[in-house]
């Protein structure tokens, strides 16, 4: 059995939505040098819908694939639905990740929330602070 699914390899080799949005409505960055993976997401929101999303990732193939898949899952979705995206949904959409790489999908979930929090803050939109993690704790990361 292969270590990585065909979907993981496809998103690693051909990542979707890579780049920067200069006039982004929200920007999120998460990661830790201890993990070795850092993700940065840029979002545009129009009429409550994530109309565009781009990412930059410094990390392994699983991190790139997780970021790429996450952007595909949320592009065109209402902000409220985007908040519901979990790392489990990213893993399932990729047809799985090795256990020691699950932290990459956790980073994808966290960076989306960080970008949405930035969007809310910039626009004075009230939110429940419990929805947004303060920082990545590397609990699931290899050291």
């Amino acid at each position: 059995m292969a270590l990585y699914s065909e979907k993981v390899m496809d998103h690693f080799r051909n990542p979707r939505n890579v780049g920067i949005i200069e006039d982004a409505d929200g920007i999120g960055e998460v990661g830790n040098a201890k993990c070795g993976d850092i993700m940065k997401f840029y979002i545009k929101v129009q009429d409550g819908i994530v109309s565009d999303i781009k990412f930059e990732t410094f990390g392994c193939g699983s991190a790139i694939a997780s970021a790429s898949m996450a952007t595909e899952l949320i592009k065109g979705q209402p902000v409220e639905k985007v908040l519901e995206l979990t790392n489990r949904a990213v893993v399932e959409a990729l047809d799985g990740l090795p256990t020691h790489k699950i932290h990459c999908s956790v980073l994808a979930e966290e960076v989306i929330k960080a970008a949405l929090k930035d969007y809310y803050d910039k626009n004075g939109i009230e939110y429940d602070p419990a929805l947004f993690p303060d920082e990545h704790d590397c609990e699931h990361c290899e050291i």
Side-chain angles (χ1 to χ4, degrees):
M1 182 175 164
L3 183 60
Y4 295 104
S5 72
E6 288 182 31
K7 283 187 183 178
V8 170
M9 294 307 297
D10 181 42
H11 278 269
F12 166 62
R13 291 183 179 131
N14 308 292
R16 284 66 154 179
N17 305 303
V18 174
I20 297 170
I21 299 174
E22 294 295 337
D23 60 343
D25 296 319
I27 300 172
E29 185 172 347
V30 298
N32 190 303
K34 192 173 13 172
C35 296
D37 298 312
I38 299 171
M39 292 183 188
K40 190 169 188 176
F41 274 32
Y42 305 82
I43 60 170
K44 287 293 286 180
V45 179
Q46 187 173 14
D47 299 324
I49 306 290
V50 175
S51 60
D52 197 10
I53 183 165
K54 301 283 185 211
F55 79 93
E56 297 177 296
T57 295
F58 175 82
C60 65
S62 294
I64 293 166
S66 292
S68 175
M69 179 57 80
T71 65
E72 288 288 283
L73 291 172
I74 66 173
K75 191 173 187 176
Q77 297 296 320
V79 170
E80 295 79 21
K81 184 168 173 110
V82 171
L83 274 172
E84 297 172 4
L85 184 74
T86 64
N87 76 295
R88 179 173 290 203
V90 173
V91 171
E92 289 173 3
L94 288 170
D95 292 336
L97 283 173
T99 303
H100 66 283
K101 293 296 183 178
I102 295 296
H103 71 276
C104 295
S105 65
V106 172
L107 285 175
E109 177 184 342
E110 290 176 354
V111 74
I112 290 165
K113 289 183 178 177
L116 287 173
K117 181 182 183 303
D118 185 52
Y119 164 70
Y120 286 159
D121 288 343
K122 286 178 177 175
N123 290 282
I125 300 170
E126 290 189 37
Y127 56 85
D128 178 359
L131 293 173
F132 303 100
D134 288 333
E135 62 183 56
H136 180 70
D137 64 9
C138 277
E139 174 181 314
H140 297 98
C141 296
E142 292 180 296
I143 299 173

